[in-house]
Amino acid sequence: MTPHELTTLTAADLHAGYAAGDFTPTEATSAALEAAAFGGAHLNAVASLHADEALAFADASTARWRQGAPLSDLDGVPVSIKDSFPMVGHQRWHGSALADGLPPSTHNGAPVRRLHEAGAVPFVKTSMPDFGLIGSGISSQFGIIRNPWDPACNPAGSSSGAAALLAIGAGPLAMGTDTGGSVRVPAAMCGVVGLKPTQGRVAYDPPKIIGVAGPMARTVADTATLLRAVGRPDPSDHLSLPGVFDGDGSPIDDLSGLTVGVFTAIPGPVPVDPEILAAVDRQAEILAAAGATVTRVDSPMATEDEWAAMTAVLMTRGLPELLRMPPEAWDVIPPGLRAGMLAFRDLSAVEHVRNEKALEAARAVIAGRLQAFDYTLAPATAVVSYAAELEAPVVDGHAVNHMAFSSPFNLTHLPAGSVPVAMSASGMPISVQVGGQRFDDAGVLAVMALLERERGFAPAYPYALGATAGARP
C-alpha cells in the first residue's frame, strides 16, 4: 500500500493488515511520521517528534507480528500523545514557552505505559495551548495551531494538535486530556471522535480531581479499542477505578425503555448555530426511532454563576504555573489567559475555598439534572468554526463559551463523547455530544456508534498525504 493509503486506515484495518501480512507496523509508522511532519510544518500540531525512536518501536512490533506473537489489538498501531503527558526523552512544555529549557521527561505517564505494554507505537507528541487552560489552539510555545479542514479556522483545545493530526491521517489514534471539554470540543471541530471517560477510568499521574485522559480516533470502534488498552488502574493514580474497560464500540440497536434528555441552550447572549441545532434534532429523531423516550430539557449548567465558579477554580489552580516564573516572562502567555489568571492573583485562601464550595454546590445541582436520564444528547460545540487567531469564539461581538456543553460532565465525573454526524454548508464538520451515567462508558460509546452508523456518510478527511496536492489541508 502507498503511504497515503496507510494513513487512511483505522486501527482495526491496520491490525487486520498486519495479521494478513499486507504491510508492516514499520511501514504504517513511517507513513504516520510523514503525515505528522506535514502537520507540524503547516498546522503547528506537533510538540515533539523522535522518528528514530518511533521506528524502533515499530520494528520491534514488526518482528512480533512475523513471529505470530502480537501483544494486543494495538500492537504496531501508531498513537499520538498529547504534550501534557510525560513521555521519556520528550520535553513536556504543557503548551507553554514558560517551560522552555526544562529537561526531558524521565518517566512515562500511566497511559503511555499502558500503550507500551500493548505494543502500540507512541510516535509523536501533539501540541496544545498554555497549561491546557484555553479552549482554543493558541500556544506561546507552538504558535497558532490550525484546523486541517480550513487552516484559517481554530481546532479548539486543549487537545488541539491531537485532533488535527487525526484528521490528516497522522496515526489512527490519539491520547488527549479533558478538563472542561478538551478532548470532545477539538474532536468536534476537527470531525473526529473523542471520549471523556468516567473520572478515574483511565489512570492519570499525577491524579486529577476533574481532568481525565481521554481516547480519540476517527471511529467509535477505534476509540473503544484505545480505551480497552488504557482504561485500567495504575498505582500512580490512587483515584483510578478498579477493573478493565471491555466495551467494543458496537452500535446499540434497541433503546426501548431508555430515556434521553436533549439540551441545546447555554447561558449567555449568543444562541447555538442553527446548523448545529438541526443536527441535534436529527440525532434526537434517530434515538427516538430506536425506542428511546426523548425529552427536551434545560441546560444542566443553567446559570452564568455556575460557569463563573468553575472558571475561578480552574484559573486559581493554574495560577502557580504562571507565578513560578518572574513577571517579565509573563508576556509570552496569550493575553486573555494571562489576564484571566492574574485576576485571581490576590485571592485569599478563604475566598478560594468559597469558590471551591460554590463549585461543589453547582456540581450537585448539575449532577441531578444529568442523572435524571440514561443518556443525554447535546451539541458538542455552540459554533461550527471560528478564526484560528482567537482565544475563544466571538459572535456578534460576544465571546461564546463553547465549552458550556462539555464542562458539566467534567464537574460530575460522568462519561461523555463527541461524534461527527453532519457537514456544514461551509464544509466544516458538525458533531453532537452523548453523555451517560457514571461507569457506563460502553453505553455512551454504543449510542455514539449508532449515530455514527446512521449519519449516512464517511467524512472526507483532509489527509496530509493525499494523492494530489489539492487533497492536502
Side-chain angles (χ1 to χ4, degrees):
M1 299 186 77
T2 67
H4 164 63
E5 290 170 328
L6 287 170
T7 63
T8 68
L9 299 181
T10 65
D13 293 334
L14 290 178
H15 178 88
Y18 299 158
D22 295 336
F23 43 80
T24 68
T26 300
E27 292 169 322
T29 299
S30 295
L33 286 166
E34 185 181 351
F38 181 90
H42 296 275
L43 304 172
N44 292 330
V46 170
S48 65
L49 189 156
H50 298 176
D52 290 345
E53 172 191 76
L55 289 171
F57 294 148
D59 288 344
S61 176
T62 295
R64 288 191 295 271
W65 277 102
R66 285 174 176 161
Q67 294 162 5
L71 298 177
S72 77
D73 290 345
L74 289 186
D75 202 329
V77 176
V79 185
S80 68
I81 307 297
K82 187 177 177 180
D83 177 45
S84 51
F85 294 103
M87 190 166 158
V88 170
H90 290 254
Q91 174 93 29
R92 179 185 180 273
W93 282 279
H94 208 200
S96 180
L98 292 183
D100 253 351
L102 294 179
S105 298
T106 57
H107 81 286
N108 288 320
V112 181
R113 291 198 299 276
R114 298 291 85 80
L115 290 170
H116 280 300
E117 291 166 3
V121 180
F123 75 105
V124 66
K125 289 196 77 180
T126 55
S127 55
M128 60 180 285
D130 290 71
F131 318 132
L133 288 177
I134 311 177
S136 292
I138 308 293
S139 166
S140 63
Q141 176 61 34
F142 307 117
I144 298 173
I145 308 165
R146 297 184 179 275
N147 191 318
W149 292 87
D150 180 352
C153 292
N154 207 297
S158 63
S159 300
S160 314
L165 287 192
L166 280 174
I168 64 169
L173 304 174
M175 281 304 303
T177 63
D178 193 311
T179 300
S182 291
V183 159
R184 289 157 289 158
V185 176
M189 288 287 181
C190 293
V192 299
V193 177
L195 179 75
K196 184 210 83 68
T198 299
Q199 186 78 27
R201 173 60 64 209
V202 180
Y204 191 156
D205 57 298
K208 304 287 184 183
I209 299 299
I210 296 180
V212 300
M216 305 169 70
R218 291 192 295 272
T219 68
V220 174
D222 271 6
T223 305
T225 299
L226 181 51
L227 187 57
R228 286 199 302 272
V230 300
R232 57 191 66 211
D234 189 89
S236 64
D237 182 355
H238 65 280
L239 300 176
S240 58
L241 298 174
V244 178
F245 175 78
D246 63 358
D248 64 3
S250 296
I252 186 170
D253 292 310
D254 186 2
L255 294 173
S256 299
L258 298 176
T259 57
V260 176
V262 181
F263 61 95
T264 56
I266 54 174
V270 180
V272 178
D273 187 282
E275 287 188 290
I276 295 175
L277 293 177
V280 173
D281 287 346
R282 172 59 185 145
Q283 309 319 302
E285 292 171 358
I286 292 171
L287 298 182
T293 299
V294 176
T295 305
R296 301 281 174 162
V297 294
D298 293 332
S299 170
M301 187 172 276
T303 71
E304 293 192 46
D305 288 344
E306 290 170 343
W307 177 255
M310 182 172 182
T311 300
V313 170
L314 290 180
M315 289 294 114
T316 306
R317 290 181 183 177
L319 189 58
E321 296 218 44
L322 183 69
L323 297 182
R324 66 182 175 81
M325 301 297 290
E328 56 267 25
W330 296 348
D331 284 348
V332 301
I333 302 300
L337 174 62
R338 183 174 68 244
M341 297 173 77
L342 290 176
F344 298 96
R345 182 183 184 185
D346 298 322
L347 205 67
S348 71
V350 170
E351 290 169 323
H352 176 58
V353 171
R354 221 175 258 138
N355 286 334
E356 291 274 8
K357 288 183 177 294
L359 187 62
E360 288 302 318
R363 184 198 306 269
V365 173
I366 293 166
R369 295 170 185 151
L370 290 173
Q371 290 173 338
F373 303 94
D374 296 300
Y375 299 102
T376 56
L377 175 69
T381 62
V383 297
V384 171
S385 63
Y386 62 103
E389 295 78 11
L390 296 180
E391 290 184 54
V394 176
V395 177
D396 296 333
H398 296 285
V400 179
N401 177 7
H402 67 315
M403 304 184 92
F405 288 113
S406 52
S407 55
F409 296 93
N410 298 88
L411 287 175
T412 55
H413 295 181
L414 302 175
S418 60
V419 58
V421 295
M423 297 300 297
S424 70
S426 63
M428 301 298 284
I430 294 175
S431 294
V432 296
Q433 178 182 226
V434 175
Q437 295 299 303
R438 195 164 180 237
F439 312 125
D440 189 22
D441 305 79
V444 169
L445 287 166
V447 175
M448 291 167 61
L450 170 63
L451 301 181
E452 177 184 59
R453 185 185 69 191
E454 296 299 314
R455 72 188 173 200
F457 72 97
Y461 289 111
Y463 289 106
L465 305 183
T468 66
R472 293 175 180 265

